[in-house]
Amino acid sequence: MSNIPLHSLGRKGKTRAGYVPLNDAQDTDMPTGVLRAVGTRNVNLTVKAKGKQRERYTDTDEFDEEATLLGNRDSTLEEVEEGNVGEQSKRPSRRSSGQRPSSIHKTQDKSRTIPFRPPEKLQSKFPPNLVRNQKYNIFTFFPIVIYEQFKFFFNLYFLLVALSQFVPALKIGFIVTYVAPLAFVLCVTMGKEAYDDYKRNLRDREANSQKYLTLVPSSDSGPHTRSVPSSSLQVGDLVVLEKNQRVPADMVLLRTSDASGTCFIRTDQLDGETDWKLRVAVPATQKLVNDSELLDLDAEVYADAPIKDIHTFIGTFTIHTPRTHSDHDVPMAQVPTVEPLSAENVLWSNTVLAAGSAVGFIVYTGSETRAVMNTSHPETKVGLLDLEINRLAKILCAVTFALSFGLVALNGFRGQWYIYVFRFLILFSSIIPISLRVNLDMGKTVYAQQIMNDSEIPGTIVRTSTLPEELGRIEYLLSDKTGTLTQNEMEMKKLHMGTMSYGFDSMDEVAHQLASAFGADQAHARSNSIATGAQLAMRGRRDMSSRLRDVVLSLALCHNVTPVTNDDGTLTYQASSPDEVAIVKWTESVGLKLVFRDRTRMELQTPAHARLTYDILDIFPFTSESKRMGIVVRDAHSGEVLFLQKGADVVMARIVQRNDWLEEETGNMAREGLRTLVVARKRLTSQQYAAFKTAHHAASIRLDGRGEAMISVVAEHLEHDLELLGLTGVEDKLQDEVKGTLELLRNGGIKIWMLTGDKIETARCIAISTKLVARNQYIHEVAKLKTSDQVRDELEFLQSKLDCCLVIDGESLQLCLNLYKNEFIEITTKLSAVVACRCSPTQKADVARLIRHHTKKRVCCIGDGGNDVSMIQAADVGVGIVGKEGKQASLAADFSVTQFSYLTKLLMWHGRNSYRRSAKLAQFVIHRGLIISIMQAVFSAIFYFAPIALYQGWLMVGYATIYTMAPVFSLVLDRDVNEDLALIYPELYKELTKGRALSFKTFFQWLMISVYQGAAIMIMSLLLFETEFLNIVSISFTALVINELIMVALEITTWHIYMVISEVVTLFFYVISIAFLPEYFDLDFVVSTRFAWKVAVIVAVSALPLYVIKLIRSRIAPAASSKLL
């Protein structure tokens, strides 16, 4: 880079941001003025320029033309340089690699410099502002849906069977009997997908066609606005927004209807937070007289490349000063004024303007907006039951193949035996019933409806209807603390000032002291008389009062709370943190009330109803990294400048002056379960503040490392030797019935982990108060681990004491996972309870994944805030609570509840039932297919191993549908115990998590039952052989249908009215249908007594032994649930 001379201002030496790259030698002594002169591209030189000149903003190299217009560049630069020798400041450019060719810039760098009224050629470079949530388009719909269906072994098997029917040598019976079921399943699925996508398309069209007003140049004096649909908006457009309008694209806020240049937006659709956020207009444009003046501005906006982070935005706003003309009418070089832009100057798309009206300048559209970039498509969750059934399908396929091959082998591989193998495979294809998927999916829909219609857990929403059975298999529950176990409803309980502590019951004393402090101030101001003896005696008390006044005043000023007056005249407080609202409400209750606040000032009302006015000079908002928030205010009356700060004790301890009580008292408050905040202040002289302001501004307009530079300036100038004023303790109330819920879940065999961002003391305290830790249970704390030896020692200790509760901080947790991941997870998963503190959202998700991966058990995660979303998506089952922190967790979860205590009913009752019913239903549907295939095998074996279908056409269609479907499906209403017992004895749930309801053992039991019944029915039918083949079909088929109805009845534990109806109606349908199927049933024979007694004998032989076995088992080894009845 050193080969680029300083005076070369051509495009080659410039970055896209328009800044001149400097080499190291020049970097230190280049004055600000020089940078200002070249700070942005020398823009078109006449306001009304059109055509070619406007295109100079694009990346074309038209700088020769510019050179002739500007005259001698070198001399211009020298003049500017001379005038700015004093200003020493560096402005490094983010994109300073001037050696890169511009073609690389175009492909890799998405940052942009957009002038007001940009040319169409520049606008067309950026993506269109289309909302597109559709999954498919007209070309991708078919292939994607087909792939999604046939990646399951089930459906693929049936596709191959159906396709084989088009080969004449393999054709058996009606093609329709093989193609129809598969086509039906596919049509239902594709119809559902198409409908869902159509609805998404309608929503997209509605969003894209919403009309917005844009400002446009106009020749006459009429209105300068035009109404355009959202999809037609482009980068560089000026959009006018009204109250309650959705923001259509990411835009820089230029003007608001509020004189102070502020507006509130609602961001619940973006980050799930329910509180209103304050946004600030660019000061230079807010000063303009009206909106139409924006159209005459010669300005441009630089915006960094689009990123996901909604809390970060780096940009600059540049206005070029009015041009001066020389005698020869040659324009002189411009000195642009640059203002930094941050996230508070930007309105992200999908947020809503909460009050007033505003004008914005679009910087990102369509796929580059933060809202679209943050829309992640989480992986599709597949239930364990579905995977188990898919595994069983593979076993059944092997059984089918073995059966086919066996029959051909017994026949001695005669003739074209390989074709016979295939024909047998097709004959036995009903072993893997396609109706299984249909039945299970319909079952899941029934369970979802039962959950959503349960009056005892109102507001519960099933967002993923494929997972209800998973709720019955949970072994680990990972829970957030704040807002999940606690209400996120804060109340200030304690104020400690070192020598004095005020509890909740002595707050009236605080109010009294405060009133006397403010009264004394005014009295002192009124009379400067000599102090009397009585006044001197009061001095100690006044000293206490003034200290109290200082701390209460600091609490009333150091926050981000805005008072909002409602329509009925009442005052409510808006803030991003409930802690802050609790503290401001407390200051109001003791007499110091926040009555007004905007960007620049704050007004407080004292106990004597006087007004205190403070100018807000700077705000440093709370972040999870800094763990503190600060504010610089100036007393409007005295002119005194104060820096006030409050934050977590871990960070504030090193910022405040030395003291001997802070650490001890924060520990005491945390043991009481209170959230602690340390309050401190620093008085600043005007010189100190001016020095800080200069350094802070220089850091704020950097493009590289802006955030770090600003933080270091604040630390250097303000954050040291603060006067410690006090310590506040805020209580977070527990959610309803949390203790009972956790105890019940623990008795159900569920191991509970609490993952929180809070500190160890508070988390430990909540663990005790929620009864997560049993009485007298040992709590083992692990914190601040630094070496691998320490980690190993802790793990060895835990190994020897598995009945304790582990409390670990985020730092130590990370170290354990880095060094001894497998050992750590193996030991901790055996513990009854684990509390992890100071966890980041990614750590929470990592823990969930590790437990899943290591134990192969089902993990449920529950949370209520945006920071829990990654954990919820990483779990097997994610439960979101609609809480004070917004709906983000609820929207990302598989199940949404309104209270933590609803988890009991969701798991112990609905989850348990869903799993038991689906397991029974799946095995019964498999049995239904197996029995008919065994009959087919016996039939073929007796008739010379011929691959001829026993039942053809309508009999097969009827068997899979109207003859058995309703009774079998009615099993989804079965239950073994009533609701009260399931919740009183959570141990019943524990038994279920072992997965015994559907295992290889139960599967082989059903396989044996099917083999016995199929063989019994077929052999008995042949023994009672009638002279005509037709009668075998009618006898065996009738016996089969009646046998299946009896089997359903035997499986039912608790009868439901629908079960009785389905059994009776199905039998009725079967009897009626016999009359309409003369090709299969000889009516004269069917109505004879011979037919009746033969069917009765066959059914007795096939079903009676099973009834007897069931009766014996219920006496010898009864189910756990039956012991309670």
Side-chain angles (χ1 to χ4, degrees):
M1 277 256 325
S2 55
N3 60 346
I4 300 177
L6 178 63
H7 58 264
S8 173
L9 290 177
R11 180 69 179 108
K12 284 176 189 167
K14 274 194 192 172
T15 63
R16 184 176 288 262
Y19 293 95
V20 179
L22 308 174
N23 64 21
D24 297 336
Q26 295 157 336
D27 203 15
T28 49
D29 51 340
M30 174 101 169
T32 308
V34 178
L35 285 165
R36 281 242 175 115
V38 298
T40 44
R41 304 261 285 280
N42 289 302
V43 295
N44 56 327
L45 298 173
T46 47
V47 178
K48 301 264 193 263
K50 289 183 180 168
K52 286 262 182 194
Q53 280 188 323
R54 296 239 337 249
E55 287 182 13
R56 194 158 310 125
Y57 288 107
T58 62
D59 279 335
T60 53
D61 289 321
E62 294 177 2
F63 288 90
D64 303 332
E65 205 176 314
E66 200 170 11
T68 57
L69 285 168
L70 279 172
N72 187 337
R73 280 194 201 150
D74 296 7
S75 61
T76 309
L77 183 62
E78 282 157 20
E79 285 169 34
V80 177
E81 194 167 357
E82 281 166 18
N84 289 281
V85 172
E87 291 178 50
Q88 288 290 108
S89 169
K90 288 185 281 180
R91 281 281 306 281
S93 161
R94 177 167 276 233
R95 273 144 293 279
S96 57
S97 84
Q99 291 174 327
R100 274 203 253 165
S102 63
S103 62
I104 294 175
H105 268 309
K106 283 181 190 177
T107 54
Q108 294 184 347
D109 188 5
K110 287 190 174 180
S111 61
R112 68 270 324 258
T113 301
I114 312 139
F116 275 46
R117 307 171 309 285
E120 282 181 23
K121 187 175 177 185
L122 174 64
Q123 286 181 322
S124 62
K125 282 183 170 187
F126 304 111
N129 194 43
L130 285 169
V131 175
R132 184 176 161 78
N133 293 309
Q134 272 179 272
K135 271 190 184 179
Y136 318 103
N137 61 33
I138 200 154
F139 301 109
T140 59
F141 175 73
F142 202 72
I144 292 176
V145 174
I146 292 292
Y147 168 73
E148 285 295 327
Q149 286 307 302
F150 291 119
K151 70 178 183 186
F152 270 102
F153 176 76
F154 255 40
N155 296 355
L156 187 63
Y157 176 79
F158 269 94
L159 178 69
L160 296 174
V161 168
L163 291 176
S164 70
Q165 290 305 286
F166 293 98
V167 178
L170 302 177
K171 189 171 179 297
I172 293 172
F174 295 163
I175 286 183
V176 72
T177 56
Y178 294 93
V179 176
L182 182 68
F184 173 73
V185 171
L186 282 182
C187 286
V188 168
T189 309
M190 289 173 80
K192 184 170 169 287
E193 284 291 324
Y195 178 72
D196 287 350
D197 215 44
Y198 173 66
K199 296 294 276 185
R200 279 192 284 267
N201 181 24
L202 286 184
R203 287 197 294 271
D204 290 351
R205 290 220 306 253
E206 188 183 339
N208 288 327
S209 60
Q210 277 187 344
K211 292 281 193 281
Y212 289 90
L213 290 177
T214 58
L215 292 178
V216 289
S218 175
S219 51
D220 58 358
S221 58
H224 292 262
T225 58
R226 185 177 69 206
S227 178
V228 294
S230 163
S231 55
S232 302
L233 294 173
Q234 292 180 294
V235 169
D237 283 353
L238 293 166
V239 180
V240 182
L241 292 170
E242 296 301 331
K243 182 180 177 180
N244 289 332
Q245 243 189 326
R246 186 181 68 88
V247 179
D250 292 351
M251 50 177 75
V252 172
L253 181 60
L254 299 181
R255 286 174 61 76
T256 71
S257 52
D258 192 288
S260 64
T262 60
C263 70
F264 279 105
I265 57 167
R266 295 199 295 271
T267 60
D268 52 340
Q269 293 300 313
L270 189 63
D271 62 2
E273 306 297 327
T274 50
D275 55 294
W276 294 8
K277 307 285 192 303
L278 192 72
R279 291 291 179 264
V280 190
V282 177
T285 48
Q286 182 64 27
K287 289 175 198 161
L288 300 177
V289 182
N290 56 35
D291 294 348
S292 55
E293 285 195 15
L294 290 169
L295 295 164
D296 300 326
L297 269 187
D298 183 12
E300 62 188 23
V301 173
Y302 163 75
D304 230 353
I307 54 169
K308 275 188 177 185
D309 188 0
I310 58 171
H311 305 294
T312 308
F313 174 74
I314 293 180
T316 54
F317 180 83
T318 308
I319 287 192
H320 301 283
T321 50
R323 279 160 294 282
T324 52
H325 291 272
S326 67
D327 298 341
H328 305 293
D329 207 36
V330 175
M332 304 301 285
Q334 306 153 19
V335 181
T337 52
V338 183
E339 291 188 19
L341 298 176
S342 67
E344 67 172 11
N345 305 114
V346 184
L347 305 178
W348 301 127
S349 73
N350 253 7
T351 57
V352 175
L353 190 65
S357 62
V359 180
F361 178 90
I362 295 181
V363 285
Y364 305 118
T365 51
S367 57
E368 292 182 338
T369 59
R370 296 292 201 270
V372 174
M373 292 178 84
N374 277 292
T375 309
S376 59
H377 296 286
E379 60 193 67
T380 311
K381 293 182 182 179
V382 179
L384 184 61
L385 189 87
D386 293 332
L387 297 174
E388 286 171 346
I389 288 170
N390 210 35
R391 235 183 350 253
L392 295 183
K394 291 172 185 171
I395 295 172
L396 288 171
C397 183
V399 169
T400 312
F401 194 81
L403 207 54
S404 310
F405 201 77
L407 286 172
V408 172
L410 288 171
N411 198 23
F413 296 108
R414 293 181 194 165
Q416 293 181 307
W417 63 269
Y418 46 87
I419 288 183
Y420 292 153
V421 170
F422 273 104
R423 282 176 70 93
F424 275 125
L425 273 175
I426 293 154
L427 275 179
F428 300 145
S429 63
S430 59
I431 284 183
I432 304 175
I434 193 156
S435 56
L436 181 54
R437 280 301 297 279
V438 183
N439 276 303
L440 285 175
D441 287 351
M442 282 164 57
K444 289 174 198 285
T445 310
V446 171
Y447 309 145
Q449 285 306 314
Q450 287 176 338
I451 291 170
M452 291 198 280
N453 294 333
D454 190 331
S455 58
E456 289 184 22
I457 48 171
T460 304
I461 300 169
V462 179
R463 298 197 193 280
T464 311
S465 61
T466 54
L467 297 175
E469 298 94 354
E470 294 294 281
L471 293 170
R473 315 278 293 273
I474 303 300
E475 293 195 46
Y476 288 91
L477 176 69
L478 274 53
S479 171
D480 176 39
K481 179 182 77 69
T482 311
T484 305
L485 299 175
T486 60
Q487 288 184 23
N488 208 6
E489 207 168 274
M490 311 294 182
E491 194 172 11
M492 174 106 157
K493 288 282 187 185
K494 216 166 194 185
L495 175 66
H496 202 291
M497 294 155 57
T499 55
M500 197 72 186
S501 174
Y502 294 96
F504 188 65
D505 48 0
S506 56
M507 291 306 176
D508 50 349
E509 170 68 12
V510 177
H512 177 67
Q513 294 258 32
L514 202 63
S516 69
F518 279 106
D521 275 4
Q522 285 157 2
H524 185 66
R526 279 198 299 274
S527 66
N528 269 332
S529 59
I530 299 159
T532 63
Q535 283 173 322
L536 289 168
M538 288 286 289
R539 188 163 292 167
R541 186 175 174 81
R542 186 181 304 152
D543 179 49
M544 201 64 230
S545 302
S546 63
R547 281 183 61 196
L548 197 56
R549 185 202 58 203
D550 288 347
V551 69
V552 176
L553 186 62
S554 298
L555 287 170
L557 290 170
C558 183
H559 54 72
N560 249 328
V561 180
T562 306
V564 179
T565 309
N566 301 324
D567 298 336
D568 58 359
T570 56
L571 204 67
T572 53
Y573 295 117
Q574 278 290 345
S576 53
S577 160
D579 294 54
E580 294 207 316
V581 176
I583 289 172
V584 172
K585 279 183 178 169
W586 176 80
T587 64
E588 182 186 348
S589 73
V590 295
L592 197 57
K593 183 179 181 181
L594 175 69
V595 286
F596 172 82
R597 176 180 184 143
D598 64 9
R599 286 278 305 160
T600 54
R601 68 193 178 91
M602 223 185 293
E603 281 185 20
L604 304 174
Q605 184 177 295
T606 68
H609 295 284
R611 289 280 176 114
L612 302 177
T613 306
Y614 285 85
D615 297 323
I616 300 171
L617 305 178
D618 286 282
I619 292 182
F620 314 107
F622 181 92
T623 65
S624 51
E625 287 77 36
S626 70
K627 296 189 178 64
R628 58 190 181 273
M629 77 86 51
I631 188 168
V632 180
V633 293
R634 182 170 53 220
D635 189 335
H637 176 66
S638 65
E640 183 184 33
V641 178
L642 294 172
F643 168 59
L644 306 170
Q645 194 165 42
K646 68 167 190 250
D649 57 300
V650 280
V651 289
M652 295 296 288
R654 61 174 183 270
I655 292 172
V656 298
Q657 294 165 352
R658 270 185 65 83
N659 61 82
D660 57 358
W661 59 271
L662 182 62
E663 191 177 343
E664 185 185 345
E665 284 307 323
T666 41
N668 289 342
M669 282 196 195
R671 276 188 284 280
E672 291 174 41
L674 301 178
R675 295 158 73 93
T676 53
L677 280 175
V678 180
V679 194
R681 74 166 177 196
K682 183 176 193 170
R683 291 189 170 93
L684 301 174
T685 63
S686 50
Q687 293 84 3
Q688 282 175 320
Y689 180 68
F692 159 72
K693 199 65 197 160
T694 308
H696 195 254
H697 179 73
S700 74
I701 54 177
R702 285 178 60 166
L703 289 180
D704 226 2
R706 179 191 288 185
E708 295 80 4
M710 287 164 75
I711 289 167
S712 66
V713 167
V714 173
E716 182 189 336
H717 288 264
L718 303 178
E719 290 181 338
H720 55 83
D721 295 330
L722 267 69
E723 177 191 353
L724 174 59
L725 297 176
L727 176 69
T728 63
V730 175
E731 183 189 43
D732 196 351
K733 295 176 185 169
L734 290 184
Q735 288 268 14
D736 295 343
E737 299 173 40
V738 161
K739 297 178 188 178
T741 304
L742 288 176
E743 192 175 352
L744 207 68
L745 294 173
R746 226 184 11 251
N747 291 342
I750 296 173
K751 293 188 170 72
I752 299 162
W753 289 42
M754 184 168 87
L755 310 178
T756 174
D758 221 328
K759 55 177 167 289
I760 279 205
E761 295 79 10
T762 315
R764 176 185 177 135
C765 189
I766 296 290
I768 294 166
S769 61
T770 54
K771 298 281 187 286
L772 178 67
V773 180
R775 189 175 298 167
N776 300 328
Q777 188 177 358
Y778 173 67
I779 299 175
H780 184 62
E781 270 187 31
V782 175
K784 300 188 174 66
L785 295 186
K786 293 281 184 274
T787 65
S788 62
D789 290 346
Q790 288 174 317
V791 175
R792 200 167 55 244
D793 293 345
E794 294 291 357
L795 290 176
E796 281 171 6
F797 175 82
L798 285 171
Q799 180 83 53
S800 64
K801 200 166 178 65
L802 290 173
D803 58 342
C804 72
C805 166
L806 171 68
V807 178
I808 186 167
D809 68 343
E811 200 181 324
S812 309
L813 176 67
Q814 201 55 55
L815 193 66
C816 291
L817 294 179
N818 292 346
L819 297 173
Y820 299 103
K821 185 195 292 180
N822 292 341
E823 294 87 339
F824 176 75
I825 287 291
E826 191 170 334
I827 293 168
T828 51
T829 47
K830 291 174 189 167
L831 301 175
S832 64
V834 177
V835 178
C837 317
R838 295 286 189 226
C839 276
S840 66
T842 38
Q843 266 182 329
K844 289 182 178 185
D846 288 344
V847 169
R849 284 192 202 96
L850 274 169
I851 296 175
R852 277 179 65 187
H853 179 73
H854 184 82
T855 63
K856 301 286 186 284
K857 300 281 196 290
R858 300 286 98 183
V859 175
C860 172
C861 291
I862 181 166
D864 73 319
N867 59 334
D868 302 317
V869 169
S870 47
M871 168 175 85
I872 284 169
Q873 290 182 340
D876 293 298
V877 179
V879 181
I881 294 181
V882 182
K884 286 221 169 46
E885 291 186 29
K887 285 190 173 179
Q888 204 176 356
S890 155
L891 293 170
D894 306 306
F895 299 88
S896 165
V897 294
T898 53
Q899 254 179 263
F900 181 79
S901 59
Y902 291 175
L903 209 55
T904 318
K905 187 91 185 280
L906 200 63
L907 300 184
M908 302 287 152
W909 177 243
H910 291 293
R912 184 172 182 280
N913 282 345
S914 301
Y915 172 56
R916 285 190 73 261
R917 289 162 176 175
S918 280
K920 194 177 273 189
L921 180 67
Q923 293 179 121
F924 209 95
V925 174
I926 289 171
H927 157 75
R928 190 177 68 185
L930 265 172
I931 192 170
I932 202 165
S933 299
I934 296 296
M935 288 170 69
Q936 174 69 56
V938 172
F939 175 77
S940 294
I942 289 169
F943 285 93
Y944 312 108
F945 303 103
I948 300 164
L950 169 59
Y951 306 127
Q952 292 186 349
W954 291 115
L955 286 186
M956 285 302 288
V957 175
Y959 180 71
T961 53
I962 59 167
Y963 297 155
T964 56
M965 194 159 182
V968 171
F969 187 68
S970 71
L971 288 170
V972 301
L973 299 170
D974 188 26
R975 62 183 199 198
D976 58 345
V977 291
N978 65 27
E979 195 177 311
D980 297 338
L981 281 173
L983 299 178
I984 291 169
Y985 298 103
E987 292 76 13
L988 290 171
Y989 184 87
K990 193 189 232 172
E991 190 192 24
L992 217 66
T993 53
K994 295 166 185 164
R996 289 177 183 161
L998 176 68
S999 61
F1000 287 124
K1001 181 183 171 185
T1002 59
F1003 170 69
F1004 283 112
Q1005 281 174 356
W1006 276 102
L1007 190 67
M1008 292 297 103
I1009 290 170
S1010 304
V1011 169
Y1012 167 72
Q1013 289 193 329
I1017 292 172
M1018 202 62 236
I1019 292 166
M1020 289 295 291
S1021 300
L1022 292 167
L1023 286 176
L1024 306 169
F1025 189 83
E1026 292 295 325
T1027 48
E1028 293 178 43
F1029 175 72
L1030 188 68
N1031 292 347
I1032 294 177
V1033 173
S1034 55
I1035 290 175
S1036 62
F1037 194 77
T1038 306
L1040 175 64
V1041 170
I1042 293 171
N1043 179 71
E1044 286 302 283
L1045 293 179
I1046 291 171
M1047 285 300 291
V1048 170
L1050 285 178
E1051 276 304 303
I1052 291 169
T1053 319
T1054 312
W1055 283 86
H1056 189 286
I1057 185 68
Y1058 289 137
M1059 297 173 172
V1060 179
I1061 293 171
S1062 65
E1063 292 262 327
V1064 173
V1065 170
T1066 302
L1067 192 57
F1068 174 74
F1069 270 135
Y1070 178 66
V1071 172
I1072 294 294
S1073 65
I1074 289 176
F1076 294 96
L1077 296 170
E1079 66 267 39
Y1080 306 113
F1081 298 100
D1082 177 357
L1083 278 176
D1084 295 334
F1085 174 65
V1086 167
V1087 293
S1088 67
T1089 51
R1090 284 186 307 148
F1091 176 80
W1093 78 258
K1094 286 181 180 177
V1095 168
V1097 169
I1098 293 169
V1099 170
V1101 170
S1102 71
L1104 197 63
L1106 291 172
Y1107 176 69
V1108 172
I1109 291 168
K1110 187 181 177 184
L1111 221 62
I1112 293 167
R1113 271 182 70 180
S1114 68
R1115 292 285 179 274
I1116 296 170
S1121 57
S1122 64
K1123 295 172 190 172
L1124 303 172
L1125 296 172

